[in-house]
Amino acid sequence: MKSLEELYKRAIELKNKGMSDKEISTELHLSVNTISWLLSKNIGETKIQDVKIGWRSIGVYGSRIGHIAEIMADIISEEINIDDLDSVLGITINGIPFATFVSDILGKELMVYRPHPSGKEGLFSSNFAGVKGKKIVVIDDVISTGETMKNTINDIKNQGGQVLLCVVLVSKLNIDEISGTRIRSVIRTTMVG
Ligand SMILES: O=P(O)(O)OC[C@H]1O[C@H](OP(=O)(O)OP(=O)(O)O)[C@H](O)[C@@H]1O
């Protein structure tokens, strides 16, 4: 874990290079809110604010994941016409169990996507449905910087698919769209102080 001073120094360096708070958040793997806070504070005064998301109490039982997936499927039904939807895509690893249940609940194809660790082109697993020409809902557990979701949307578009909606358990971003695609979360975390 980097010290707060190191993070602050690095954030200032990147800011001076002309990067936006969003770009710095991606580079340092922190939320945009954290970067904005970091750049506006006199370091040493207060503790850094970020939220670590843990959902083990859900993950230890498939049935509990199924209950969350019911909520996700309900949100999807609220947002889009289910008849328009072809497929449900899970982002590895943590999006897959939720996407599997949602696919079953909605009676749609299942896709599995593995993001590239450095943000290059990711992989669509050939053991699951193919992307080309499909209308897709993307499922993951958490949006933190939003970089994974952005790359997923771009890779789907590049493979000839269309993303209708993205649904996550928790979003740390106070935004409703990524790359022009609607984002819904079961829970949203927002910094208030
Ligand atoms: O919005 P971002 O900042 O891109 O972060 C969100 C991603 O980070 C986590 O995955 P992780 O990279 O830990 O991989 P894993 O699911 O394979 O453990 C999480 O499951 C999301 O996929």
Side-chain angles (χ1 to χ4, degrees):
M1 175 64 109
K2 288 192 174 79
S3 74
L4 197 53
E5 288 75 16
E6 281 176 292
L7 282 173
Y8 176 70
K9 207 174 141 197
R10 185 78 184 117
I12 291 287
E13 274 172 20
L14 296 173
K15 193 76 183 172
N16 289 340
K17 282 182 183 171
M19 289 174 78
S20 67
D21 288 8
K22 177 84 177 62
E23 288 167 329
I24 296 169
S25 77
T26 301
E27 184 70 23
L28 299 184
H29 304 290
L30 291 167
S31 73
V32 179
N33 286 334
T34 299
I35 295 301
S36 303
W37 173 85
L38 198 57
L39 293 171
S40 69
K41 290 286 178 186
N42 187 0
I43 296 306
E45 273 183 0
T46 47
K47 286 187 74 181
I48 194 165
Q49 288 179 302
D50 201 350
V51 182
K52 181 175 177 354
I53 308 296
W55 47 269
R56 187 172 181 275
S57 292
I58 297 167
V60 287
Y61 288 107
S63 57
R64 292 180 185 174
I65 293 176
H67 292 313
I68 297 295
E70 292 279 358
I71 296 172
M72 288 176 160
D74 199 44
I75 290 170
I76 294 166
S77 304
E78 187 177 63
E79 288 288 338
I80 64 171
N81 183 345
I82 297 301
D83 291 339
D84 293 340
L85 179 67
D86 297 308
S87 321
V88 179
L89 180 144
I91 300 176
T92 62
I93 295 175
N94 294 316
I96 295 174
F98 296 103
T100 304
F101 273 99
V102 171
S103 159
D104 186 39
I105 293 162
L106 298 178
K108 303 293 179 181
E109 291 180 345
L110 178 64
M111 296 171 174
V112 167
Y113 170 81
R114 183 189 297 279
H116 190 282
S118 308
K120 295 176 188 163
E121 197 178 345
L123 284 175
F124 296 91
S125 173
S126 59
N127 284 331
F128 302 88
V131 171
K132 193 169 181 188
K134 304 285 176 52
K135 292 179 180 165
I136 299 164
V137 168
V138 176
I139 307 275
D140 205 356
D141 63 332
V142 175
I143 290 175
S144 187
T145 64
E147 198 61 19
T148 301
M149 197 56 86
K150 188 182 87 182
N151 292 337
T152 305
I153 293 166
N154 289 343
D155 283 352
I156 290 171
K157 284 179 184 168
N158 289 339
Q159 292 289 322
Q162 185 187 343
V163 184
L164 302 184
L165 178 69
C166 301
V167 180
V168 296
L169 177 59
V170 182
S171 176
K172 291 203 242 174
L173 295 184
N174 196 14
I175 56 173
D176 297 320
E177 282 190 7
I178 292 178
S179 299
T181 302
R182 179 120 168 99
I183 305 292
R184 286 288 305 269
S185 57
V186 177
I187 296 164
R188 180 184 288 192
T189 66
T190 307
M191 300 298 176
V192 291

